[in-house]
Amino acid sequence: MKLARIGAPGAERPALVDNQGKLRDLSGEIPDLTGALLSDAAIARLAALDLSALPEIAEGQRYGAPVADTGKIICIGLNYTDHAAEVGLPLPTEPTIFMKGCRTTGANDVVHLPRGAEKGDWEVELGIVIGTGGLYITEDAALNHVAGYCVVNDLSERSYQMERGGQWTKGKSFPGFAPVGPWLVTRDEIGEAEELGIWLEVNGIRRQDGNTRNLVFGVRRIVSYVSQFYALEAGDIIATGTPAGVGLGFDPPVFLKQGDELRLGIDGLGEQRQRIHAWHG
């Protein structure tokens, strides 16, 4: 099942995509798509609805972030074998964790670079959406805590991340640096996301072209590992790392600029499109 939120920022309504690819309005069934409504039982209730009886939503409207109240965006760094190689770093022996300190935005919303940005970069990632929270989750039980998956663009300003001291978070957290969606695709459709094509284009040029089979740490390991340090909560998103092809990895590097267009996606999880704007605030 593909779950979404449709409408202008702050006025989104919950929706799902039916088997014919039509958007159906869920606002008569639930007030919004929140973490509290991502448990297995809540998703099963939505799956049992007569979709043909739900009002149809016209195409062409904005997709908001598919979860209304994401609390934490937890990121895993250097989690693809090819990406670690391109940036010249050894494979981690444990998952590398950092945070994004911004809110999620819609899949196709405009992205603004920070004032004076020099090294804006892209990272297409598989997002794990937590449906049932927990602490000290075992790997055997990990999938029971996953509501589903989504596309995440872990945008960065590399000069903040690499050259301004401290940890990576400051380069990852500018407003708008976490486009998510267009949908949350439930776990029953994707399983453990073990072999999904994952790609990104900049101005029509394919820059990233990977597969989740190259993850260093898979979904079960990531969920279990992160829960040793954080109390995971329903609605949290774990971004699982990016394959080779980030701008920083080219020689010379290729960074984002005003007017660039990004297109990115993951098999079965949909596509995003973003236009890059300079900051004028």
Side-chain angles (χ1 to χ4, degrees):
M1 186 166 51
K2 297 178 176 68
L3 299 171
R5 297 174 63 247
I6 305 298
E12 295 94 344
R13 50 182 164 161
L16 58 74
V17 182
D18 69 15
N19 294 332
Q20 286 72 48
K22 296 179 180 179
L23 278 169
R24 299 285 182 171
D25 193 339
L26 282 175
S27 58
E29 303 292 333
I30 56 175
D32 205 346
L33 191 60
T34 64
L37 295 173
L38 294 179
S39 68
D40 284 355
I43 288 175
R45 189 180 79 80
L46 294 179
L49 294 172
D50 178 3
L51 304 189
S52 65
L54 298 174
E56 189 173 339
I57 299 175
E59 291 292 335
Q61 300 192 55
R62 172 183 175 270
Y63 282 87
V67 180
D69 57 349
T70 293
K72 297 188 289 293
I73 308 173
I74 303 166
C75 302
I76 308 299
L78 299 173
N79 198 33
Y80 278 79
T81 55
D82 54 357
H83 177 51
E86 78 172 337
V87 295
L89 293 172
L91 291 179
T93 57
E94 296 188 34
T96 300
I97 300 176
F98 64 95
M99 304 288 289
K100 289 183 82 73
C102 55
R103 296 184 181 276
T104 57
T105 55
N108 305 317
D109 289 354
V110 167
V111 171
H112 288 90
L113 299 176
R115 181 182 296 160
E118 300 173 350
K119 298 180 180 180
D121 208 346
W122 57 83
E123 293 188 11
V124 59
E125 306 204 6
L126 172 73
I128 303 169
V129 182
I130 299 301
T132 300
L135 189 65
Y136 299 118
I137 298 166
T138 66
E139 289 191 33
D140 286 345
L143 286 190
N144 297 331
H145 294 260
V146 175
Y149 304 92
C150 59
V151 181
V152 177
N153 191 354
D154 175 20
L155 290 150
S156 312
E157 171 52 38
R158 300 292 192 191
S159 67
Y160 294 178
Q161 178 188 356
M162 312 296 286
E163 301 165 17
R164 298 289 296 273
Q167 300 182 358
W168 292 353
T169 299
K170 68 175 67 172
K172 300 283 188 171
S173 301
F174 195 72
F177 269 19
V180 174
W183 317 303
L184 183 166
V185 182
T186 52
R187 184 180 78 238
D188 60 296
E189 291 197 14
I190 302 296
E192 298 188 39
E194 293 175 302
E195 192 157 348
L196 303 178
I198 178 170
W199 54 273
L200 180 144
E201 296 175 354
V202 183
N203 300 325
I205 300 171
R206 184 65 59 102
R207 294 295 193 182
Q208 293 186 273
D209 198 359
N211 195 288
T212 59
R213 63 172 170 262
N214 294 323
L215 284 166
V216 179
F217 305 104
V219 171
R220 287 180 183 270
R221 173 67 168 143
I222 288 170
V223 171
S224 176
Y225 185 86
V226 169
S227 78
Q228 312 308 304
F229 308 96
Y230 297 86
L232 290 174
E233 299 174 316
D236 287 350
I237 295 175
I238 306 175
T240 59
T242 198
V246 300
L248 182 66
F250 287 92
D251 186 15
V254 179
F255 294 122
L256 294 169
K257 61 185 184 304
Q258 166 78 27
D260 283 346
E261 294 187 2
L262 300 179
R263 178 172 169 258
L264 55 146
I266 301 176
D267 290 350
L269 301 184
E271 295 184 11
Q272 300 184 0
R273 292 175 180 266
Q274 293 121 25
R275 181 178 287 273
I276 303 300
H277 286 201
W279 179 257
H280 296 298

